[in-house]
Amino acid sequence: MLRTSLATLAVLASLGLAQMPAQAQAPDPNNTLILETKDGPVTIRLRPDLAPKHVEQIKALTKRGFYDGIVFHRVIDGFMAQTGDPTGTGTGGSDLPNIKAEFTPTPYKVGSVGMARSQSPDSGNSQFFICYEGCGSLTGQYTLFGEVVSGMDAVRKIKKGAAGSGQVSGPDKIVRMRLQADAK
């Protein structure tokens, strides 16, 4: 049985001959978001390997400061926290065009970050959600574009919404969101 060390994988990956496991990849500041909440920062590794168009849209909006001050309008305890709607109602989006779905079989798990959408699979725009538990059924139904790598404790402190609907009265907000490469 052949055993390959991470160092060997790194050499092969640099030559384009092998892929390193996701957890072994070096952080990429151009594909890392820092989402600041009142309870601390949340670091999100973007996954252009899974959803390149969605990652580009999120990055473009982040660079504009679009997400700064936007509320977590729908938060369901034990399921997910949703944000990214400038109207705070769950019906709004950015001025950029909607994006065609980029579904993958990569499973949703705690800390997965996915694109919110309407009934139409190709309606992702600016809204996204961060999973707590119970998101596995979203796999292949919603575009997965990132994962929380630190700060899940801050995500769990986001004010929860009403039972059933998840609509939040007096919601918490994104204080600021930046790409790690641009953070100052």
Coordinates of all heavy atoms in Angstrom, one line a residue, residues 73-144:
H73 N -31.6 38.3 8.7 CA -33.1 38.5 8.7 C -33.8 37.2 9.0 O -35.0 37.2 9.4 CB -33.6 39.1 7.4 CG -33.3 38.2 6.2 ND1 -32.1 38.2 5.5 CD2 -34.1 37.2 5.6 CE1 -32.2 37.3 4.5 NE2 -33.4 36.7 4.6
R74 N -33.2 36.1 8.8 CA -33.9 34.8 9.0 C -32.9 33.8 9.7 O -31.8 33.5 9.1 CB -34.3 34.2 7.7 CG -35.1 32.9 7.8 CD -35.7 32.5 6.5 NE -36.4 31.2 6.5 CZ -36.0 30.2 5.9 NH1 -35.0 30.2 5.0 NH2 -36.7 29.0 6.0
V75 N -33.1 33.5 11.0 CA -32.2 32.7 11.8 C -33.1 31.6 12.5 O -33.9 31.9 13.3 CB -31.4 33.5 12.8 CG1 -30.4 32.6 13.5 CG2 -30.7 34.7 12.1
I76 N -32.8 30.4 12.1 CA -33.6 29.2 12.6 C -32.6 28.4 13.5 O -31.7 27.9 13.0 CB -34.2 28.4 11.5 CG1 -35.1 29.2 10.7 CG2 -34.9 27.2 12.1 CD1 -35.7 28.5 9.4
D77 N -32.9 28.4 14.8 CA -32.1 27.7 15.8 C -31.9 26.3 15.4 O -32.9 25.6 15.0 CB -32.7 27.8 17.2 CG -31.7 27.4 18.3 OD1 -30.5 27.5 18.1 OD2 -32.2 27.0 19.3
G78 N -30.7 25.8 15.4 CA -30.4 24.4 15.0 C -30.5 24.1 13.5 O -30.3 23.0 13.0
F79 N -30.6 25.2 12.7 CA -30.6 25.0 11.2 C -29.6 26.0 10.5 O -28.6 25.6 10.1 CB -32.0 25.2 10.7 CG -32.2 24.9 9.2 CD1 -31.6 23.8 8.6 CD2 -32.9 25.8 8.4 CE1 -31.7 23.6 7.2 CE2 -33.0 25.6 7.0 CZ -32.5 24.5 6.4
M80 N -30.0 27.3 10.5 CA -29.1 28.2 9.8 C -29.4 29.7 10.1 O -30.4 30.0 10.6 CB -29.1 28.0 8.3 CG -30.5 28.2 7.6 SD -30.7 29.9 7.1 CE -32.5 30.0 7.4
A81 N -28.4 30.5 9.7 CA -28.5 32.0 9.9 C -28.4 32.6 8.4 O -27.4 32.3 7.8 CB -27.5 32.6 10.8
Q82 N -29.4 33.4 8.0 CA -29.4 33.9 6.6 C -29.3 35.4 6.7 O -29.9 36.1 7.5 CB -30.7 33.5 5.9 CG -30.7 33.9 4.5 CD -32.0 33.3 3.8 OE1 -32.4 32.2 4.1 NE2 -32.4 33.9 2.8
T83 N -28.5 35.9 5.7 CA -28.2 37.4 5.6 C -28.0 37.7 4.1 O -28.2 36.9 3.2 CB -27.0 37.7 6.4 OG1 -26.8 39.2 6.4 CG2 -25.7 37.1 5.9
G84 N -27.7 39.0 3.8 CA -27.4 39.4 2.5 C -28.5 40.1 1.7 O -28.3 40.4 0.5
D85 N -29.6 40.4 2.4 CA -30.7 41.1 1.8 C -30.6 42.6 2.3 O -30.9 42.8 3.4 CB -32.0 40.5 2.1 CG -33.2 41.3 1.7 OD1 -33.0 42.3 0.9 OD2 -34.3 40.9 2.0
P86 N -30.4 43.5 1.4 CA -30.3 44.9 1.8 C -31.6 45.5 2.3 O -31.6 46.5 3.1 CB -29.8 45.7 0.6 CG -30.2 44.8 -0.6 CD -30.1 43.4 -0.1
T87 N -32.8 44.8 2.0 CA -34.0 45.3 2.5 C -34.4 44.7 3.9 O -35.3 45.2 4.6 CB -35.2 44.9 1.6 OG1 -35.4 43.5 1.6 CG2 -34.9 45.4 0.1
G88 N -33.6 43.6 4.3 CA -33.9 43.0 5.6 C -35.1 42.2 5.6 O -35.5 41.7 6.7
T89 N -35.8 41.9 4.5 CA -37.0 41.2 4.4 C -36.9 39.8 3.9 O -37.9 39.0 4.0 CB -38.1 41.9 3.5 OG1 -37.5 41.9 2.2 CG2 -38.3 43.4 4.0
G90 N -35.8 39.5 3.2 CA -35.7 38.2 2.6 C -36.1 38.2 1.2 O -36.0 37.1 0.5
T91 N -36.5 39.3 0.6 CA -37.0 39.4 -0.7 C -36.0 40.2 -1.6 O -36.3 40.3 -2.8 CB -38.4 40.0 -0.8 OG1 -38.3 41.3 -0.3 CG2 -39.4 39.1 0.0
G92 N -35.0 40.8 -1.1 CA -34.2 41.7 -1.8 C -32.8 41.1 -2.3 O -32.5 40.0 -1.9
G93 N -32.1 41.8 -3.1 CA -30.8 41.4 -3.6 C -30.0 42.6 -4.0 O -30.4 43.7 -3.8
S94 N -28.9 42.3 -4.7 CA -28.0 43.4 -5.2 C -28.5 43.8 -6.6 O -29.4 43.2 -7.1 CB -26.6 42.8 -5.2 OG -26.4 42.0 -6.3
D95 N -27.7 44.7 -7.1 CA -28.0 45.2 -8.5 C -27.3 44.3 -9.5 O -27.5 44.5 -10.7 CB -27.6 46.7 -8.7 CG -26.1 46.9 -8.4 OD1 -25.4 46.0 -7.9 OD2 -25.7 48.0 -8.8
L96 N -26.5 43.3 -9.1 CA -25.9 42.4 -10.0 C -26.9 41.3 -10.5 O -27.9 41.1 -9.8 CB -24.7 41.7 -9.3 CG -23.5 42.6 -8.9 CD1 -22.5 41.8 -8.2 CD2 -23.0 43.4 -10.0
P97 N -26.6 40.7 -11.6 CA -27.6 39.7 -12.1 C -27.5 38.4 -11.2 O -26.6 38.2 -10.5 CB -27.1 39.4 -13.5 CG -25.7 40.0 -13.6 CD -25.5 41.0 -12.5
N98 N -28.7 37.7 -11.2 CA -28.7 36.4 -10.5 C -27.7 35.5 -11.2 O -27.3 35.6 -12.4 CB -30.1 35.9 -10.6 CG -31.1 36.7 -9.7 OD1 -30.7 37.5 -8.9 ND2 -32.4 36.4 -9.9
I99 N -27.4 34.4 -10.5 CA -26.4 33.5 -10.9 C -27.0 32.1 -11.1 O -27.8 31.6 -10.3 CB -25.3 33.3 -9.9 CG1 -24.8 34.7 -9.4 CG2 -24.1 32.5 -10.4 CD1 -24.0 34.7 -8.2
K100 N -26.6 31.4 -12.2 CA -27.1 30.1 -12.5 C -26.5 29.1 -11.4 O -25.4 29.3 -10.9 CB -26.6 29.6 -13.8 CG -27.1 28.3 -14.3 CD -26.7 28.0 -15.7 CE -27.1 26.7 -16.2 NZ -28.3 26.1 -15.8
A101 N -27.3 28.2 -10.9 CA -27.0 27.3 -9.8 C -25.7 26.5 -10.2 O -25.4 26.2 -11.3 CB -28.1 26.3 -9.6
E102 N -24.9 26.3 -9.2 CA -23.6 25.5 -9.3 C -23.7 24.4 -8.2 O -23.0 24.4 -7.2 CB -22.4 26.4 -9.1 CG -22.2 27.5 -10.1 CD -21.1 28.4 -9.9 OE1 -21.1 29.2 -9.0 OE2 -20.1 28.3 -10.7
F103 N -24.7 23.5 -8.4 CA -24.9 22.4 -7.4 C -23.7 21.4 -7.5 O -23.2 21.1 -8.6 CB -26.2 21.7 -7.6 CG -27.4 22.6 -7.5 CD1 -28.6 22.3 -8.1 CD2 -27.4 23.8 -6.7 CE1 -29.7 23.1 -8.0 CE2 -28.5 24.6 -6.5 CZ -29.7 24.3 -7.2
T104 N -23.4 20.8 -6.3 CA -22.4 19.8 -6.3 C -22.8 18.7 -5.3 O -23.7 19.0 -4.4 CB -21.0 20.3 -5.8 OG1 -21.1 20.7 -4.4 CG2 -20.5 21.5 -6.6
P105 N -22.2 17.6 -5.3 CA -22.6 16.5 -4.3 C -21.8 16.7 -3.0 O -22.0 15.9 -2.0 CB -22.2 15.2 -5.0 CG -21.1 15.6 -5.9 CD -21.4 17.0 -6.4
T106 N -21.0 17.8 -2.8 CA -20.3 18.0 -1.6 C -21.4 18.3 -0.5 O -22.2 19.2 -0.7 CB -19.4 19.3 -1.7 OG1 -18.5 19.0 -2.8 CG2 -18.6 19.5 -0.4
P107 N -21.3 17.5 0.6 CA -22.4 17.6 1.6 C -22.3 18.9 2.4 O -21.2 19.4 2.8 CB -22.1 16.4 2.5 CG -20.7 16.0 2.3 CD -20.3 16.5 0.9
Y108 N -23.5 19.4 2.8 CA -23.7 20.5 3.7 C -23.4 19.9 5.1 O -23.9 18.8 5.4 CB -25.1 21.1 3.6 CG -25.2 22.2 2.6 CD1 -25.4 21.9 1.3 CD2 -25.0 23.5 3.0 CE1 -25.5 22.9 0.3 CE2 -25.1 24.6 2.0 CZ -25.4 24.2 0.7 OH -25.5 25.2 -0.2
K109 N -22.7 20.7 5.9 CA -22.5 20.3 7.3 C -22.4 21.5 8.2 O -22.6 22.7 7.7 CB -21.2 19.5 7.4 CG -20.0 20.3 6.9 CD -18.7 19.5 6.8 CE -17.6 20.4 6.4 NZ -16.6 19.9 5.7
V110 N -22.2 21.4 9.5 CA -22.0 22.6 10.3 C -20.9 23.5 9.8 O -19.8 23.0 9.4 CB -21.7 22.1 11.8 CG1 -21.4 23.3 12.6 CG2 -22.8 21.3 12.4
G111 N -21.2 24.8 9.6 CA -20.3 25.7 9.1 C -20.3 25.9 7.6 O -19.7 26.8 7.1
S112 N -21.1 25.1 6.9 CA -21.2 25.3 5.4 C -21.9 26.6 5.1 O -22.8 27.0 5.9 CB -22.0 24.1 4.8 OG -21.3 22.9 4.8
V113 N -21.4 27.3 4.0 CA -22.0 28.5 3.6 C -22.6 28.3 2.2 O -21.9 27.9 1.3 CB -20.9 29.6 3.6 CG1 -21.5 31.0 3.3 CG2 -20.2 29.7 5.0
G114 N -23.9 28.6 2.1 CA -24.6 28.4 0.9 C -25.3 29.6 0.4 O -25.6 30.5 1.2
M115 N -25.6 29.6 -0.9 CA -26.4 30.7 -1.5 C -27.9 30.5 -1.3 O -28.4 29.4 -1.7 CB -26.0 30.8 -3.0 CG -26.3 32.1 -3.6 SD -25.2 33.3 -2.9 CE -25.0 34.5 -4.2
A116 N -28.5 31.5 -0.8 CA -30.0 31.5 -0.7 C -30.6 31.7 -2.0 O -29.9 32.4 -2.9 CB -30.4 32.5 0.4
R117 N -31.8 31.3 -2.2 CA -32.4 31.5 -3.5 C -33.9 31.4 -3.3 O -34.4 31.0 -2.3 CB -32.0 30.4 -4.5 CG -32.3 29.0 -4.1 CD -31.9 28.0 -5.2 NE -32.1 26.6 -4.9 CZ -33.3 26.0 -4.9 NH1 -34.4 26.6 -5.3 NH2 -33.4 24.7 -4.6
S118 N -34.7 31.7 -4.4 CA -36.1 31.6 -4.4 C -36.4 30.1 -4.8 O -35.5 29.3 -4.9 CB -36.8 32.6 -5.3 OG -36.4 32.3 -6.6
Q119 N -37.6 29.9 -5.3 CA -38.0 28.6 -5.8 C -37.2 28.2 -7.1 O -36.9 27.1 -7.4 CB -39.5 28.5 -6.1 CG -40.4 28.6 -4.9 CD -40.2 27.4 -4.0 OE1 -39.8 26.3 -4.4 NE2 -40.4 27.6 -2.7
S120 N -36.7 29.2 -7.8 CA -35.9 29.0 -9.0 C -34.5 28.7 -8.6 O -33.8 29.5 -7.9 CB -35.9 30.3 -9.9 OG -35.0 30.1 -10.9
P121 N -33.9 27.6 -9.0 CA -32.5 27.3 -8.7 C -31.5 28.3 -9.2 O -30.5 28.4 -8.6 CB -32.3 25.9 -9.4 CG -33.7 25.4 -9.7 CD -34.6 26.6 -9.8
D122 N -31.9 29.1 -10.2 CA -30.9 30.0 -10.8 C -31.2 31.4 -10.3 O -31.0 32.4 -11.0 CB -31.0 29.9 -12.3 CG -30.6 28.6 -12.8 OD1 -29.9 27.9 -12.2 OD2 -31.1 28.2 -13.9
S123 N -31.6 31.6 -9.1 CA -32.0 32.9 -8.5 C -31.1 33.4 -7.5 O -31.3 34.4 -6.8 CB -33.4 32.9 -8.0 OG -33.6 32.0 -7.0
G124 N -29.9 32.8 -7.3 CA -29.0 33.2 -6.3 C -28.4 34.6 -6.7 O -28.2 34.9 -7.8
N125 N -28.3 35.5 -5.7 CA -27.8 36.9 -6.0 C -26.9 37.4 -4.9 O -25.7 37.4 -5.2 CB -29.0 37.8 -6.1 CG -28.6 39.2 -6.6 OD1 -28.1 40.0 -5.8 ND2 -28.8 39.5 -7.8
S126 N -27.4 37.7 -3.8 CA -26.5 38.3 -2.7 C -26.8 37.6 -1.3 O -25.9 37.6 -0.5 CB -26.7 39.8 -2.5 OG -28.1 40.1 -2.2
Q127 N -27.9 37.0 -1.2 CA -28.3 36.4 0.1 C -27.5 35.0 0.3 O -27.4 34.2 -0.7 CB -29.8 36.1 0.2 CG -30.6 37.4 0.3 CD -32.0 37.2 0.6 OE1 -32.3 36.4 1.5 NE2 -32.9 37.8 -0.1
F128 N -27.1 34.8 1.5 CA -26.4 33.5 1.8 C -26.8 33.1 3.2 O -27.3 33.9 4.0 CB -24.9 33.6 1.6 CG -24.2 34.5 2.5 CD1 -23.6 34.1 3.7 CD2 -24.0 35.9 2.2 CE1 -23.0 34.9 4.6 CE2 -23.3 36.7 3.0 CZ -22.8 36.3 4.2
F129 N -26.4 31.9 3.5 CA -26.7 31.3 4.9 C -25.5 30.5 5.4 O -24.7 30.0 4.6 CB -28.0 30.5 4.9 CG -28.0 29.3 3.9 CD1 -27.5 28.1 4.3 CD2 -28.5 29.5 2.6 CE1 -27.4 27.0 3.4 CE2 -28.4 28.4 1.7 CZ -27.9 27.2 2.1
I130 N -25.4 30.5 6.7 CA -24.4 29.7 7.4 C -25.1 28.6 8.2 O -26.0 28.9 8.9 CB -23.5 30.5 8.3 CG1 -22.9 31.7 7.5 CG2 -22.5 29.7 9.0 CD1 -22.2 32.7 8.4
C131 N -24.8 27.4 7.9 CA -25.4 26.2 8.6 C -25.0 26.0 10.0 O -23.8 26.1 10.4 CB -25.1 24.9 7.8 SG -25.9 24.9 6.2
Y132 N -26.0 25.7 10.8 CA -25.7 25.2 12.2 C -25.7 23.6 12.0 O -24.8 23.1 11.5 CB -26.8 25.6 13.2 CG -26.9 27.1 13.4 CD1 -28.1 27.8 13.3 CD2 -25.8 27.8 13.7 CE1 -28.2 29.1 13.5 CE2 -25.8 29.2 14.0 CZ -27.1 29.8 13.9 OH -27.1 31.2 14.1
E133 N -26.8 23.0 12.3 CA -27.0 21.6 12.1 C -28.2 21.4 11.1 O -28.8 22.3 10.8 CB -27.3 20.8 13.4 CG -26.1 20.8 14.4 CD -26.0 22.1 15.1 OE1 -26.9 22.8 15.4 OE2 -24.8 22.3 15.5
G134 N -28.4 20.2 10.7 CA -29.6 19.9 9.9 C -29.7 20.4 8.5 O -30.7 20.5 7.9
C135 N -28.5 20.7 7.9 CA -28.5 21.3 6.6 C -28.2 20.2 5.5 O -28.2 20.5 4.3 CB -27.5 22.4 6.4 SG -27.9 23.9 7.2
G136 N -28.0 19.0 5.9 CA -27.7 17.9 5.0 C -28.6 17.8 3.8 O -28.2 17.5 2.7
S137 N -29.9 18.0 4.0 CA -30.9 17.9 3.0 C -30.7 19.0 1.9 O -31.3 18.8 0.8 CB -32.3 18.0 3.6 OG -32.5 19.3 4.1
L138 N -29.9 20.0 2.1 CA -29.7 21.0 1.1 C -28.7 20.7 0.1 O -28.6 21.3 -1.0 CB -29.3 22.3 1.8 CG -30.2 22.9 2.9 CD1 -29.6 24.2 3.5 CD2 -31.6 23.1 2.4
T139 N -27.9 19.6 0.4 CA -26.9 19.1 -0.5 C -27.5 18.9 -1.9 O -28.5 18.2 -2.1 CB -26.2 17.8 0.0 OG1 -25.7 18.1 1.3 CG2 -25.2 17.3 -0.9
G140 N -26.9 19.5 -2.9 CA -27.3 19.3 -4.3 C -28.6 20.1 -4.7 O -29.0 20.1 -5.8
Q141 N -29.1 20.9 -3.7 CA -30.3 21.7 -3.9 C -30.0 23.2 -3.8 O -30.7 24.0 -4.4 CB -31.4 21.4 -2.9 CG -31.7 19.9 -2.8 CD -32.4 19.4 -4.0 OE1 -33.3 20.1 -4.6 NE2 -31.9 18.3 -4.5
Y142 N -28.9 23.5 -3.1 CA -28.5 24.9 -3.0 C -27.0 24.9 -3.2 O -26.2 24.0 -2.9 CB -28.8 25.4 -1.5 CG -30.2 25.7 -1.3 CD1 -31.1 24.6 -1.1 CD2 -30.7 26.9 -1.4 CE1 -32.4 24.8 -0.9 CE2 -32.1 27.2 -1.2 CZ -32.9 26.1 -0.9 OH -34.3 26.4 -0.8
T143 N -26.5 26.0 -3.8 CA -25.1 26.2 -4.1 C -24.2 26.4 -2.9 O -24.5 27.3 -2.1 CB -24.8 27.3 -5.1 OG1 -25.6 27.1 -6.3 CG2 -23.4 27.5 -5.4
L144 N -23.3 25.5 -2.7 CA -22.4 25.5 -1.5 C -21.1 26.3 -2.0 O -20.5 25.9 -3.0 CB -22.0 24.1 -1.1 CG -20.9 23.9 -0.1 CD1 -21.4 24.5 1.3 CD2 -20.6 22.4 0.1

